[in-house]
Amino acid sequence: MLPMASGDVDRTLRFARRAEELGFDGVFAFDHLFPPGGPPDRPALEAYAVLAAVAATTDRVRIGTLVSRASLRPAGMLAKQAATLDDVSGGRFVLGVGTGDALSRDEHRTFGLPYLDPDVRRDHLVETVRAVRSLFRGEPFPGGRHVPAIAGPLMPATVTPGGPPVWIGGRSEAAVRVAAREADGWNGWALDARTFAARAELLRTEAGDREVEATWAGALVVGRDGSEAAGLGQARRDRGIRGDAVADDPGSAARWLSDLAAAGATWAILLAAGPADRLELIGEDVLPLLASAG
């Protein structure tokens, strides 16, 4: 995860380039107008502008949103932005999209954006994904209850045939079922390995013959040893942060990531929590252990 809440463009671009040098497979941006759950006077960079800059200054890593709220942009604009990022990146873009939740309400109010009621958000997400994927394929979207008809076409067309992959984010079984029907992938944020495995199995069952990948994302605290890990974890709990995965040392982190892979994860997208050197620690000490294990 890129350090979007730093509000520092140069730092974020350096982070992306260093992640590529260290061998990470992708860098992802949250799509918030200020950090979720916080006051509006805290900084956050805008996802699509930052990812365009990242795409232009990297060569190999995937770039993606984790996740765009479907209600932040009209579906046609979302499709256009995604298609352009696919072009700028040479086909490296992943469009992660979700409904948002109650933590997002203040962002909408602060910036004068419509806020959808909970009973509307999932249907709106489904129609948004259908509209975006139709436009990616070069087809018009006929319209639905929440998303109007969109004639298109997207010009230029996406570099990736049929458009970049679309992942639907959400922790619930309902979100998994939507992803199985409508998307190329599902992302579960901060799920423990057992719950993730159950959701991944549900995804496979619901998808049937469709190939839909299961991906994990969340905060990971990696210590250089058990004492440091315990201290870092406690410091985050003292700040009211819950749901972190905590690994005592690089070996523990590698085993934890391997367990996620065994549970069905094709991606583990990490918010590297703790000191600023955790990107280096994971890249230099954890990734080689994963590579040697195959």
Side-chain angles (χ1 to χ4, degrees):
M1 293 298 295
L2 292 164
M4 303 292 286
S6 68
D8 186 330
V9 174
D10 288 340
R11 175 187 169 190
T12 303
L13 296 182
R14 288 195 304 270
F15 184 100
R17 290 192 293 268
R18 184 58 180 148
E20 182 168 75
E21 291 169 358
L22 288 166
F24 287 88
D25 295 308
V27 291
F28 290 77
F30 69 52
D31 189 18
H32 289 284
L33 306 178
F34 51 84
D41 60 354
R42 292 176 60 198
L45 300 173
E46 197 281 322
Y48 287 84
V50 166
L51 289 175
V54 169
T57 55
T58 56
D59 299 310
R60 178 189 56 81
V61 287
R62 283 274 192 170
I63 63 171
T65 52
L66 205 68
V67 291
S68 279
R69 284 200 307 286
S71 57
L72 272 185
R73 300 167 187 83
M77 178 59 72
L78 180 63
K80 184 67 175 180
Q81 288 180 285
T84 300
L85 269 178
D86 192 52
D87 191 358
V88 171
S89 66
R92 291 183 282 139
F93 181 59
V94 176
L95 175 60
V97 63
T99 62
D101 56 26
L103 284 177
S104 308
R105 184 192 302 269
D106 286 346
E107 291 179 57
H108 289 256
R109 287 177 173 171
T110 298
F111 286 91
L113 301 170
Y115 181 77
L116 300 180
D117 291 333
D119 59 344
V120 172
R121 286 200 294 259
R122 185 167 292 119
D123 289 342
H124 175 265
L125 171 66
V126 169
E127 291 184 11
T128 297
V129 170
R130 289 177 180 172
V132 166
R133 298 189 79 195
S134 292
L135 293 168
F136 286 167
R137 294 192 300 268
E139 301 169 0
F141 176 65
R145 292 180 60 197
H146 308 290
V147 175
I150 306 172
L154 290 177
M155 296 297 291
T158 59
V159 171
T160 303
V166 177
W167 297 354
I168 286 178
R171 294 168 53 91
S172 68
E173 291 186 359
V176 172
R177 290 190 172 92
V178 170
R181 295 193 310 268
E182 307 290 345
D184 304 296
W186 160 73
N187 182 263
W189 180 269
L191 296 174
D192 62 81
R194 178 177 295 180
T195 304
F196 180 86
R199 298 283 193 272
E201 178 61 31
L202 175 64
L203 183 73
R204 287 189 291 271
T205 300
E206 293 286 322
D209 293 335
R210 296 186 67 241
E211 291 187 13
V212 184
E213 60 184 326
T215 70
W216 184 94
L220 175 65
V221 177
V222 183
R224 296 187 181 276
D225 54 40
S227 176
E228 185 188 40
L232 293 173
Q234 186 59 54
R236 285 175 63 82
R237 289 190 293 275
D238 289 345
R239 291 165 54 199
I241 300 171
R242 300 289 185 269
D244 293 343
V246 179
D248 285 344
D249 52 39
S252 298
R255 289 190 293 274
W256 181 81
L257 289 165
S258 295
D259 287 345
L260 269 182
T266 58
W267 284 80
I269 300 155
L270 309 177
L271 192 162
D277 66 355
R278 295 301 105 159
L279 179 71
E280 302 285 336
L281 177 64
I282 296 170
E284 293 177 349
D285 294 354
V286 178
L287 293 189
L289 293 175
L290 291 172
S292 65

